[in-house]
Amino acid sequence: MDTVLDLLKDGGWMMYVILTVSIIGVALFFERSVHLYIKLKLNADGFMQAVLAHVEGRRFRQAIDACKVGSSHPLVSVARAGIMRADRREKEIERAMEKEMLRALPALQRRVGLLGFLANACTLLGLLGTIFGLMEAFNAVSDASAAEKQDALAGGISTAMYTTAFGIIAAVPLLFFHHLLTERQEAVLNEVEGGATSLLVAM
């Protein structure tokens, strides 16, 4: 712990900015993970098989009951919207399901893009910290004696590079987290689109 604190201190104030951004990013990842992986958890194939079996047998009341599952997955609300209009024209059924899909998109996409932004911000803040550190190092060299200039410059550059290294170290996990959430987003959307298409065909 002392070593970490010493590195933060040696790297200057920008190290604390990067640390703050990375902590926000990690917290954001856990919050979004709970939503996308836990609240939206659903065996989409099993759910659609049960719903389609009732729809194909024209048992629409049972199909609606099959939508009563403990999940916030948008496929559930999309399927329910379609089944509730089983006696309507195909265009009305399709429009109702599309409306539910569009309603679910904001919650599905919320703050995931911000995680990618924070990852890029860590890298850029690291570079910015290095520039500030180099400026301070050269200012220190200009005020140092001839014998002290080499040591002052070497120490200043070494300290300035800490922020670049720390920025990259913080950015890499955030980029990985962003990739995981994006993949989960796309998987949920594919499940919704595939389920809606299958339901429309069955009805």
Side-chain angles (χ1 to χ4, degrees), residues 42-64:
L42 178 71
N43 180 0
D45 291 337
F47 169 75
M48 286 308 302
Q49 286 177 6
V51 169
L52 291 175
H54 291 304
V55 169
E56 290 169 353
R58 318 313 289 173
R59 298 185 299 272
F60 297 114
R61 175 54 58 185
Q62 290 90 330
I64 293 174

Side-chain angles (χ1 to χ4, degrees), residues 71-105:
S71 173
S72 299
H73 198 295
L75 177 58
V76 178
S77 60
V78 169
R80 185 187 297 113
I83 297 168
M84 292 290 289
R85 293 162 180 80
D87 58 342
R88 309 283 183 85
R89 292 179 301 174
E90 178 182 338
K91 204 66 180 177
E92 292 184 54
I93 298 172
E94 186 177 357
R95 190 179 299 116
M97 290 195 291
E98 286 179 353
K99 183 178 179 181
E100 286 298 322
M101 289 174 64
L102 291 175
R103 183 180 298 174
L105 279 178

Side-chain angles (χ1 to χ4, degrees), residues 122-158:
C122 284
T123 304
L124 294 176
L125 288 171
L127 294 173
L128 185 61
T130 297
I131 293 172
F132 287 154
L134 290 175
M135 291 170 62
E136 293 178 4
F138 286 123
N139 287 335
V141 167
S142 65
D143 297 332
S145 63
E148 297 171 340
K149 283 187 177 182
Q150 185 175 353
D151 292 337
L153 184 59
I157 292 175
S158 176

Side-chain angles (χ1 to χ4, degrees), residues 4-35:
V4 174
L5 292 176
D6 289 340
L7 287 174
L8 289 174
K9 183 178 179 181
D10 292 341
W13 61 272
M14 188 62 78
M15 297 281 278
Y16 295 96
V17 176
I18 297 171
L19 179 63
T20 301
V21 172
S22 64
I23 291 173
I24 293 172
V26 171
L28 180 61
F29 168 70
F30 282 114
E31 184 271 329
R32 288 286 83 196
S33 294
V34 169
H35 179 75

